[in-house]
Amino acid sequence: LAKTTQPISMDSYEGQEVNITCSHNNIATNDYITWYQQFPSQGPRFIIQGYKTKVTNEVASLFIPADRKSSTLSLPRVSLSDTAVYYCLVANNNNDMRFGAGTRLTVKP
Amino acid sequence: EAGVAQSPRYKIIEKRQSVAFWCNPISGHATLYWYQQILGQGPKLLIQFQNNGVVDDSQLPKDRFSAERLKGVDSTLKIQPAKLEDSAVYLCASSLAQTGVNYGYTFGSGTRLTVV
């Protein structure tokens, strides 16, 4: 299973764009990159998933360079309610996802 | 669509006692997972079921933890006897497919266990 590395914590202010980068140097050809969000006292929640290039949904964008050794989760115009832990996971259809420690994002007023 | 249901929401027990957690996954989800999340850490997979069969229990401390999913629907996770280090949130998740890659996991809110 590809190991992921992401910053332990990040701070931002309301209205700013936040980019969280995840390194996965050993990503396999058939691996997908998935991001989850977890609020206190709740289970993780799926945000976005991608294989290459760029994926966008109503919540976030995911940028994956051509070598796929890293990925960046982009949260546009964050609000206080985006304060959470964000997990980057890499897996394929033959291996289930393993969670790392995640990135604790704190959005300040 | 109803989410993943877990109970109880909180549990406090003394060490060496036993405890059980219950999970009811989303209807139609064949795969069910139990995770342990210690404060400040990411969730750690304990066991994965595909219908009523175990797919992966390599990280389950089998000397004290057990889990079952007898009819391929709801599941129970048991700890007997509990240790102080078992204090954690126990999360249940379910997925439509065998892995969460294409369809994602849906998590319940978890059971917060405190062992004193």
Side-chain angles (χ1 to χ4, degrees):
Chain A
L1 298 174
K3 180 179 178 180
T4 59
T5 302
Q6 48 184 128
I8 294 175
S9 64
M10 294 180 67
D11 289 341
S12 182
Y13 290 92
E14 283 189 292
Q16 288 187 334
E17 178 185 73
V18 171
N19 296 309
I20 306 174
T21 297
C22 178
S23 297
H24 27 79
N25 292 318
N26 297 322
I27 190 168
T29 302
N30 56 347
D31 281 339
Y32 284 77
I33 300 154
T34 311
W35 286 80
Y36 279 77
Q37 174 192 54
Q38 186 175 26
F39 298 113
S41 301
Q42 295 185 26
R45 182 177 73 106
F46 174 90
I47 300 177
I48 197 166
Q49 182 181 82
Y51 183 80
K52 62 180 180 180
T53 62
K54 177 183 175 182
V55 179
T56 297
N57 61 23
E58 65 278 6
V59 177
S61 294
L62 178 60
F63 298 92
I64 306 169
D67 66 6
R68 304 201 326 123
K69 293 184 182 299
S70 66
S71 59
T72 299
L73 175 72
S74 181
L75 305 172
R77 298 180 298 281
V78 294
S79 64
L80 297 177
S81 62
D82 292 316
T83 293
V85 179
Y86 293 82
Y87 297 97
C88 164
L89 300 99
V90 172
N92 57 53
N93 283 318
N94 296 314
N95 294 293
D96 264 290
M97 291 177 268
R98 297 291 188 264
F99 288 82
T103 297
R104 184 172 301 275
L105 173 66
T106 302
V107 180
K108 303 175 181 179
Chain B
E1 159 181 270
V4 175
Q6 289 190 247
S7 67
R9 191 79 173 88
Y10 304 94
K11 190 74 176 179
I12 301 174
I13 62 172
E14 295 182 349
K15 59 183 179 183
R16 292 188 288 274
Q17 285 187 325
S18 57
V19 64
F21 314 122
W22 176 82
C23 171
N24 190 23
I26 291 176
S27 178
H29 279 197
T31 309
L32 184 147
Y33 313 80
W34 282 103
Y35 283 84
Q36 178 194 58
Q37 186 170 26
I38 294 172
L39 187 64
Q41 300 180 17
K44 170 189 169 185
L45 178 67
L46 292 176
I47 189 167
Q48 176 191 352
F49 291 95
Q50 178 75 12
N51 295 310
N52 60 349
V54 175
V55 174
D56 182 0
D57 63 357
S58 57
Q59 298 190 91
L60 185 72
K62 298 180 187 62
D63 59 333
R64 297 184 301 106
F65 286 65
S66 65
E68 60 183 14
R69 193 185 184 198
L70 293 176
K71 296 183 179 179
V73 180
D74 56 352
S75 175
T76 56
L77 176 69
K78 298 179 181 178
I79 307 175
Q80 181 179 7
K83 294 184 176 181
L84 296 177
E85 58 260 38
D86 298 331
S87 294
V89 175
Y90 291 84
L91 295 162
C92 179
S94 68
S95 176
L96 189 61
Q98 182 169 348
T99 75
V101 171
N102 288 328
Y103 299 97
Y105 296 173
T106 301
F107 282 84
S109 296
T111 297
R112 182 177 297 276
L113 173 68
T114 302
V115 182
V116 297

